[in-house]
């Protein structure tokens, strides 16, 4: 009887030691994952804010374009109805050409804001940002970035969840000191969940832009 008790105690102490080391190990990995995930969430928020801002910018260009199109229609209607005196027709023609140029400019700016400067030829750059040309990140690009960050952070969230489960299993393993077989099973489960947490975190990191 005493010999069996000693063997059980040794097995239990060994399981407790493994559990304690694994808890520390996976807790450290979880902390790193949370740190990286926090940075990715910040980038995701920036991407979402940029998407909203650029969408509003695009809408403002659309409104200006619509106003110029209405102005063009009115000017052309005046010409066709002969409501403009002959001596003022040249002025109206000039105004029409300028209005058409404005419309084309707004269309080009909208196109650049939508798809980004790097996706069009340099000669087609029309929209500046803080006085610089060719630096526009398009709405479509911000959508892709925001989506990638969102997916990556979800994977990290799953990774952290598995780390937490692993740590809880380790804590239970230490508490149940009188059942070595159950402790051994908990250590195995702890390793499995911890490894899944590592895989999910690495996968999430690989998906980040």
């Amino acid at each position: 009887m005493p010999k069996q008790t000693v063997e059980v105690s040794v097995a239990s102490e060994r399981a407790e030691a493994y559990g304690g080391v694994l808890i520390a190990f996976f807790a450290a990995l979880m902390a790193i994952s949370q740190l990286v995930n926090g940075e990715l969430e910040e980038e995701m928020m920036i991407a979402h804010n940029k998407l909203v801002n650029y969408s509003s910018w695009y809408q403002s260009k659309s409104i200006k374009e619509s106003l110029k199109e209405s102005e063009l229609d009115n000017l052309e209607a005046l010409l066709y109805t002969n409501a403009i005196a002959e001596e003022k027709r040249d002025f109206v023609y000039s105004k029409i050409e300028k209005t058409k140029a404005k419309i084309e400019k707004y269309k080009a700016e909208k196109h650049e804001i939508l798809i980004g400067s790097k996706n069009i030829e340099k000669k087609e750059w029309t929209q500046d940002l803080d006085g610089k040309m060719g630096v526009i990140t398009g709405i479509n690009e911000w959508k892709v970035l925001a989506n990638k960050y969102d997916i990556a952070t979800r994977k990290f969230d799953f990774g952290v969840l598995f780390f937490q489960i692993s740590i809880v299993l380790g804590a239970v393993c230490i508490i149940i000191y009188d059942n070595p077989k159950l402790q051994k099973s908990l250590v195995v489960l702890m390793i499995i969940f911890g490894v899944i947490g590592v895989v999910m975190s690495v996968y999430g990191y690989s998906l980040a832009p």
Side-chain angles (χ1 to χ4, degrees), residues 42-100:
E42 286 182 13
E43 292 296 330
M44 181 181 68
M45 292 301 299
I46 291 172
H48 278 295
N49 289 335
K50 290 288 186 181
L51 177 59
V52 172
N53 292 338
Y54 275 57
S55 295
S56 298
W57 194 10
Y58 182 90
Q59 290 299 323
S60 70
K61 296 291 183 182
S62 295
I63 293 171
K64 290 179 180 179
E65 182 187 0
S66 296
L67 291 173
K68 285 298 177 181
E69 287 175 343
S70 298
E71 182 180 339
L72 178 61
D73 290 339
N74 291 333
L75 290 170
E76 290 178 339
L78 289 173
L79 285 177
Y80 289 136
T81 56
N82 294 319
I84 304 296
E86 190 67 33
E87 63 274 11
K88 293 183 179 180
R89 281 179 173 266
D90 288 340
F91 172 78
V92 175
Y93 282 126
S94 175
K95 187 69 174 176
I96 287 175
E97 292 305 315
K98 288 180 181 178
T99 303
K100 286 181 178 179

Side-chain angles (χ1 to χ4, degrees), residues 11-24 166-180 182-184 186-187 190:
S12 177
E13 287 179 0
R14 188 179 300 157
E16 288 178 19
Y18 286 146
V21 171
L22 289 172
I23 285 175
S166 177
I167 291 169
V168 169
L169 291 172
V172 174
C173 173
I174 293 174
I175 293 171
I176 306 174
Y177 55 86
D178 58 346
N179 194 331
L182 181 56
Q183 283 182 315
K184 185 177 180 180
L186 289 172
V187 168
M190 184 182 183

